[in-house]
Amino acid sequence: MGEILRSADMVAVASHQLAQCISGHAWNVDLTMIAVCTNNEVHIYNASPAPSAVWDRLHVLQKHDQLVSGVDWAPVSNYIVTVSHDRNSYVWKLEENVWQPTLVILRINRAAISVKWSPRENKFAVASGAKSVCVCYYEEDNNWWVSKIIRKKHGSTVTGVAWHPNNVLLATTSTDCKCRIFSAYIKGVDSRSAATTTFGEIRFGEQLVQLDLALGWAFGVKWSPSGRSLAYVGHDSTIHFIDDVGPSPIAQTLALRDLPLRDVLFLSEKRLVAGGFDCNPMLFASDDTGTWNFVRFLDEGKTPASDVKASTQFSEAFGKFYGQAKRGVATESPSSAPGTYHNNCITLLNPLAPPGEQEIRKFSTSGMDGKVVIWDMSTISDALARLGM
């Protein structure tokens, strides 16, 4: 099931074939278990990011009738939330070594697409095909989970959601090609002071920012660790970086020659990885002027020796910076290796670090090939730090 990968320059350290296709995965807080969405079930494995670890299946969560499209694992409460194309959501609680589900009525008439716990774990957000976002919270008086819906803002399916570290701002992407930021402040759930942000006083469902940077479907929105920056990708093979997120954000777009990306992950305030249809994670970095550039593909472990040029990978990568203008084009971007460890689209990247970590050195990816791959950026991060990136 698990494959150990070894190479001096390799950042992929382990690969686990778990299913025919994986639609999502999530780790528990101490990285000893992983929940994997496969078809209409969620499989929980006794797992570890260590290269030599053997993963054993412990539990199978069976409640959904259709494809489980998203899963997230709360680090403190240890609750698991799942969403599905059957338009339902369940919150799972471990009791006497059995995961007990609680149904959440989302009140949507289309598939649920993805889900994410808020940083304080008192809410979770669900993206849906009903052109809306459900923000769900626990109502103690009635002992159930209820949802408030952000409606009439999206023109098409909402593909992703991301919580700001302040637990109130919520970013979304949609197949109407736009990225938006909303207020998800709920009176009685969030503190009164949380209603005051850089946007001033806010109320639930208020649209604060709309970004029209992509010319194709938008995916994979994520905040930087501090919440000062935002990134997302477009199906037109673009990636978008937004700094100083507020009433007057600063945006930069990189147009790539490669296949479209699907998800991104900030490793720090100045580094980001993204994955998609090239089956090969891409590393981006910001220089001292705040300009983001493509650095290299990470999966170079299976590149034939005859394909490696005499110059080092770093000298080649750092000689090919793109995006010096507001919208840069990566005209010299190298193609990903044909023998990558993922052999189908990468759809999700997750950090392997405690919540709130400012610098991430390990992360995991999953995709349509049914694999979970573990990546260790330690060597590359040290090299980038020496170059001031």
Side-chain angles (χ1 to χ4, degrees):
M1 182 181 293
E3 178 185 356
I4 302 175
L5 315 174
R6 301 190 184 280
S7 171
D9 298 320
M10 197 183 304
V11 292
V13 297
S15 175
H16 300 268
Q17 182 74 54
L18 302 179
Q20 191 172 19
C21 180
I22 293 175
S23 51
H25 75 279
W27 293 84
N28 69 341
V29 65
D30 57 2
L31 305 179
T32 58
M33 290 192 288
I34 184 173
V36 176
C37 303
T38 170
N39 202 358
N40 64 336
E41 299 177 342
V42 177
H43 296 183
I44 298 178
Y45 291 84
N46 182 24
S48 168
S52 58
V54 177
W55 294 9
D56 299 315
R57 190 167 65 187
L58 300 176
H59 307 277
V60 177
L61 309 186
Q62 296 174 307
K63 203 67 177 177
H64 291 287
D65 298 326
Q66 297 182 30
L67 176 73
V68 180
S69 49
V71 61
D72 198 21
W73 202 324
V76 177
S77 65
N78 201 39
Y79 288 173
I80 294 176
V81 60
T82 59
V83 296
S84 167
H85 287 184
D86 63 11
R87 300 171 294 169
N88 290 326
S89 173
Y90 288 92
V91 174
W92 303 78
K93 181 180 180 181
L94 186 61
E95 297 179 347
E96 297 181 354
N97 204 37
V98 177
W99 288 95
Q100 301 292 348
T102 300
L103 176 65
V104 183
I105 305 299
L106 298 178
R107 299 184 294 128
I108 55 177
N109 59 4
R110 295 291 186 274
I113 304 300
S114 65
V115 64
K116 197 69 179 174
W117 283 106
S118 69
R120 295 180 186 172
E121 301 178 21
N122 57 352
K123 302 177 289 187
F124 61 88
V126 179
S128 78
K131 308 179 186 179
S132 60
V133 177
C134 304
V135 180
C136 306
Y137 61 97
Y138 187 70
E139 202 171 70
E140 292 187 7
D141 293 341
N142 295 309
N143 192 29
W144 60 22
W145 290 86
V146 297
S147 67
K148 296 189 70 173
I149 301 180
I150 300 174
R151 302 180 187 271
K152 300 181 180 179
K153 303 296 184 181
H154 299 92
S156 189
T157 297
V158 183
T159 58
V161 291
W163 288 95
H164 188 276
N166 68 7
N167 205 67
V168 170
L169 300 181
L170 182 68
T172 68
T173 47
S174 171
T175 52
D176 64 6
C177 312
K178 296 176 176 58
C179 176
R180 297 173 174 89
I181 300 175
F182 292 95
S183 164
Y185 171 80
I186 298 178
K187 186 177 180 180
V189 176
D190 298 300
S191 64
R192 188 172 181 179
S193 61
T196 303
T197 67
T198 55
F199 296 94
E201 290 277 341
I202 57 177
R203 64 184 186 276
F204 179 83
E206 180 180 357
Q207 180 176 301
L208 307 172
V209 174
Q210 178 174 298
L211 300 167
D212 302 324
L213 303 176
L215 299 177
W217 300 337
F219 294 97
V221 62
K222 294 287 175 61
W223 294 91
S224 67
S226 69
R228 291 193 295 267
S229 300
L230 185 74
Y232 70 101
V233 298
H235 207 58
D236 55 347
S237 291
T238 55
I239 182 168
H240 311 278
F241 303 92
I242 299 88
D243 296 317
D244 298 329
V245 177
S248 301
I250 301 172
Q252 179 190 352
T253 293
L254 293 182
L256 309 171
R257 287 185 56 192
D258 306 286
L259 297 177
L261 298 167
R262 279 295 306 271
D263 197 22
V264 305
L265 174 67
F266 277 94
L267 301 178
S268 67
E269 293 295 323
K270 299 181 67 174
R271 299 171 205 155
L272 176 144
V273 288
F277 288 90
D278 269 313
C279 315
N280 193 342
M282 301 174 72
L283 176 64
F284 297 85
S286 173
D287 59 23
D288 293 335
T289 66
T291 301
W292 286 89
N293 304 285
F294 170 75
V295 178
R296 59 168 279 187
F297 282 101
L298 296 184
D299 192 351
E300 298 181 353
K302 289 189 175 182
T303 305
S306 59
D307 292 343
V308 180
K309 298 181 180 180
S311 61
T312 66
Q313 294 172 339
F314 278 112
S315 63
E316 180 182 356
F318 286 109
K320 297 178 179 178
F321 283 143
Y322 321 112
Q324 300 304 316
K326 182 178 180 181
R327 186 180 184 94
V329 180
T331 55
E332 298 296 327
S333 175
S335 299
S336 64
T340 54
Y341 290 104
H342 277 291
N343 49 38
N344 208 329
C345 178
I346 297 171
T347 57
L348 185 66
L349 295 88
N350 274 333
L352 299 177
E357 189 76 17
Q358 296 298 304
E359 184 171 350
I360 296 169
R361 289 178 173 262
K362 294 182 180 181
F363 65 95
S364 60
T365 57
S366 64
M368 298 176 67
D369 57 0
K371 292 181 181 179
V372 174
V373 180
I374 309 299
W375 307 82
D376 188 342
M377 296 286 294
S378 300
T379 303
I380 292 179
S381 296
D382 292 341
L384 288 171
R386 290 193 294 270
L387 292 168
M389 304 185 77

